[in-house]
Amino acid sequence: MKFWYRIDGITCLLWPLSWLFGLIAATRRFAFRQGWLKSVHVGVPTIVVGNISVGGNGKTPVVIGLCEWLTQLGYRPGVISRGYGGNAPHYPLLVDTHTTGAQAGDEPVLIYHRTGCPVVVSPKRIEAAQYLIEHCDVNVIISDDGLQHYALQRDIEIVVVDGERRFGNGLLLPAGPLRESKKRLNSVDFVINNGADPQGNEFAMSLKPSTPKSVVGQIEFDADEVGKKVNACAGIGHPPRFFNTLKGLGFELVQQRAFADHHAFKQEEIQALEQQYPLFMTEKDAVKCRDFELKQAWYLPVSALIAAPFKEHFIMKLKEINQNVRP
């Protein structure tokens, strides 16, 4: 929504609805804090990686990074997700090698394939977390999104902020992009700034791309052989970030097409874009296109590079929690 990043007539018309949205959100959070609405702690350290704004802020690379760090340290992490965009035959759904993005949503499938950690999808995150504990032998849970899902008690809250767009016009939905007031950042444990100089107590993060791979077959891209004139598409929260990354790597974008976040790609859409030049897409989009008949479609893996002090403070916080959380 372009008007989320400015103040104009539309935002003024929608402001009363934003005020009402804020009142409902604040009342609901207060009700959970007071115990009027039930919340549950599942018995192992629980980490929520979320945001206060709508749109792609870079949560998934952070979740993947946390899984990798924790595994290296000897923890057994599992991931839970709402599975936005998916339609599973049943819930909770344990993601495996045969699970598609249409079933579980693109992010859970991507996280599973990148980390190998157990990933469970359910609209009820408590059920997903309990399933992980009962069936997957995990001792720490990471929730991909869910900052506003207060029914699930959490021990660490991490908010990822888009360093370029930040908080738009600063208004709540629907007049602006915010799910909660910016004051909410004062109560979370860590704020990660994706893509810009950090402000205040934020930790800097950047996305490091690695060698592109073919969507079908996992062959590495050879620019010397194929060339650097490419087409690009992205069905993510903020497509320009992906397009700019490709340009920064020296690719010339002949055609670039932005789709809505979580777009359900069709084979003919992708085939039309890979006719004359190689087609580049995000890894998140690629998980939905692996079964297509494609000749020159590639995806760009990225990893989160977060300032070293974040990791130090995060591990210290987790160790403190492990001493207090009941087994």
Side-chain angles (χ1 to χ4, degrees):
M1 298 288 185
K2 293 183 178 180
F3 64 83
W4 282 350
Y5 299 91
R6 61 177 183 263
I7 300 293
D8 59 16
I10 297 177
T11 53
C12 292
L13 287 173
L14 293 175
W15 183 85
L17 294 177
S18 292
W19 182 88
L20 178 61
F21 179 91
L23 178 62
I24 294 172
T27 301
R28 181 173 173 274
R29 185 169 176 237
F30 181 77
F32 275 109
R33 287 206 309 266
Q34 296 301 312
W36 301 340
L37 293 177
K38 183 180 179 181
S39 63
V40 175
H41 194 286
V42 294
V44 301
T46 301
I47 304 158
V48 170
V49 180
N51 55 31
I52 63 169
S53 61
V54 175
N57 291 359
K59 298 186 305 298
T60 300
V62 173
V63 171
I64 291 171
L66 290 177
C67 287
E68 293 171 345
W69 295 344
L70 291 170
T71 300
Q72 292 168 4
L73 291 169
Y75 289 92
R76 303 185 303 278
V79 178
I80 61 175
S81 172
R82 167 65 179 83
Y84 185 84
N87 186 15
H90 60 82
Y91 293 106
L93 175 70
L94 177 65
V95 177
D96 61 27
T97 55
H98 303 292
T99 305
T100 65
Q103 294 171 323
D106 39 31
E107 282 126 345
V109 175
L110 167 57
I111 292 167
Y112 172 76
H113 282 281
R114 279 287 296 270
T115 68
C117 293
V119 179
V120 174
V121 171
S122 176
K124 298 179 180 179
R125 286 183 174 84
I126 294 173
E127 289 185 358
Q130 291 172 335
Y131 186 95
L132 274 175
I133 294 170
E134 294 171 8
H135 299 279
C136 301
D137 188 32
V138 303
N139 60 7
V140 59
I141 287 175
I142 302 171
S143 177
D144 179 26
D145 211 353
L147 185 68
Q148 291 77 31
H149 190 82
Y150 293 113
L152 176 67
Q153 293 181 22
R154 67 290 307 266
D155 301 289
I156 298 177
E157 291 182 326
I158 301 172
V159 168
V160 184
V161 174
D162 185 319
E164 297 178 5
R165 295 180 295 163
R166 293 201 63 83
F167 311 111
N169 58 19
L171 298 177
L172 295 171
L173 292 166
L178 298 185
R179 299 170 175 175
E180 294 184 277
S181 164
K182 288 185 287 185
K183 294 180 181 179
R184 177 71 171 87
L185 297 180
N186 297 329
S187 63
V188 304
D189 297 283
F190 302 101
V191 180
I192 295 175
N193 183 315
N194 178 18
D197 293 332
Q199 300 183 19
N201 62 348
E202 298 173 351
F203 293 91
M205 165 183 155
S206 61
L207 295 176
K208 179 184 178 181
S210 56
T211 304
K213 296 181 179 180
S214 59
V215 176
V216 179
Q218 298 293 292
I219 302 169
E220 291 193 349
F221 183 82
D222 186 346
D224 293 332
E225 178 182 344
V226 183
K228 287 212 165 185
K229 282 189 174 183
V230 301
N231 293 331
C233 70
I236 59 177
H238 188 48
R241 180 189 289 123
F242 175 64
F243 300 145
N244 290 334
T245 297
L246 290 176
K247 293 173 184 176
L249 293 172
F251 289 101
E252 179 184 344
L253 304 191
V254 179
Q255 182 180 175
Q256 58 188 49
R257 185 172 177 189
F259 293 87
D261 196 12
H262 301 285
H263 177 72
F265 287 99
K266 298 178 181 178
Q267 180 169 291
E268 51 268 29
E269 287 177 324
I270 302 301
Q271 289 177 332
L273 288 167
E274 64 158 4
Q275 290 298 316
Q276 187 174 0
Y277 296 100
L279 173 64
F280 272 60
M281 63 179 66
T282 69
E283 188 173 10
K284 173 179 159 180
D285 293 327
V287 301
K288 294 177 283 190
C289 304
R290 286 175 176 160
D291 295 329
F292 294 171
E293 295 181 5
L294 304 175
K295 296 179 180 179
Q296 51 176 353
W298 309 81
Y299 70 88
L300 185 69
V302 296
S303 299
L305 293 181
I306 309 176
F310 166 78
K311 187 175 181 180
E312 297 170 6
H313 290 295
F314 171 78
I315 297 302
M316 187 182 304
K317 177 79 173 177
L318 185 58
K319 289 180 177 179
E320 293 175 358
I321 291 165
N322 267 316
Q323 295 174 356
N324 299 316
V325 172
R326 56 188 180 278

